[in-house]
Amino acid sequence: MAIALGMDAFSVGLGMGLIRIKLRQIFHIGVTIGLFHMMMPLLGIILGRLMTQKLGQVATYTGGSLLLILGIQMIYASFRKNETPLITPSGLGLILFSLSVSLDSFSVGLSLGIYGTDIVSTIFMFGFVSMVLTWCGLFIGKRVKNWLGTYSEGIGGCILLAFGVKLLFL
């Protein structure tokens, strides 16, 4: 389950890796996403023990909307020349990015909370796997960026946009 949840982080990391990112940022992005993949299912487990599964759809729609916004912003930024992007993978942009890829783990946490699970091992496994998969996606995206040149940011935005559409409509 941790790998399945982390694959979204990998895919979105692949798209984000196509913009100009330093190694230090890659480290921080991976750790932050890992932490969010720990906090969100924990919150989901706690709420899942208290509430129904209806919050799972809200989390999915919120995550999809955030990915759509990030994707559109990256596509828009790819057409602008020599301007800084509106949302970058640092500060508030990193929080939005991490939140968008970890909201699906909130939904899983709701289910796990309803059915009962070993909280500590589940949370640490989700965080570790998503952190490593995010790093892999970012590193691969960074390598591919050199091959794609100026189109890389637009392609990364399309990847994020596609995942947002997938969450919202599929």
Side-chain angles (χ1 to χ4, degrees):
M1 194 177 287
I3 292 172
L5 290 173
M7 288 309 291
D8 276 351
F10 170 80
S11 300
V12 175
L14 187 64
M16 290 298 285
L18 294 173
I19 64 173
R20 185 179 307 263
I21 299 178
K22 297 178 182 174
L23 290 178
R24 182 180 206 117
Q25 284 178 297
I26 289 174
F27 174 78
H28 289 295
I29 291 168
V31 169
T32 304
I33 288 175
L35 289 173
F36 269 80
H37 267 84
M38 292 171 69
M39 291 185 305
M40 295 305 287
L42 178 61
L43 182 62
I45 289 169
I46 292 167
L47 288 177
R49 291 186 176 169
L50 301 174
M51 306 175 97
T52 66
Q53 285 186 318
K54 294 193 184 223
L55 288 176
Q57 288 298 330
V58 172
T60 300
Y61 292 139
T62 303
S65 299
L66 287 172
L67 287 174
L68 279 174
I69 291 167
L70 291 169
I72 290 168
Q73 184 274 325
M74 281 181 67
I75 292 168
Y76 174 72
S78 71
F79 291 110
R80 297 183 314 167
K81 301 293 182 215
N82 298 327
E83 294 184 32
T84 58
L86 298 173
I87 301 174
T88 59
S90 61
L92 180 60
L94 178 55
I95 302 274
L96 289 174
F97 176 58
S98 300
L99 183 63
S100 68
V101 298
S102 66
L103 279 173
D104 58 344
S105 59
F106 173 80
S107 302
V108 170
L110 283 172
S111 303
L112 293 174
I114 291 170
Y115 295 112
T117 186
D118 178 24
I119 295 174
V120 174
S121 63
T122 301
I123 298 306
F124 281 113
M125 185 62 68
F126 284 1
F128 178 75
V129 169
S130 64
M131 177 180 66
V132 170
L133 288 174
T134 300
W135 285 338
C136 291
L138 289 166
F139 279 121
I140 292 170
K142 189 173 176 67
R143 290 275 188 210
V144 172
K145 179 187 185 315
N146 296 331
W147 298 334
L148 297 175
T150 58
Y151 301 108
S152 62
E153 189 170 7
I155 293 169
C158 289
I159 292 171
L160 295 182
L161 189 68
F163 274 98
V165 168
K166 176 188 166 252
L167 282 176
L168 288 174
F169 301 111
L170 301 177

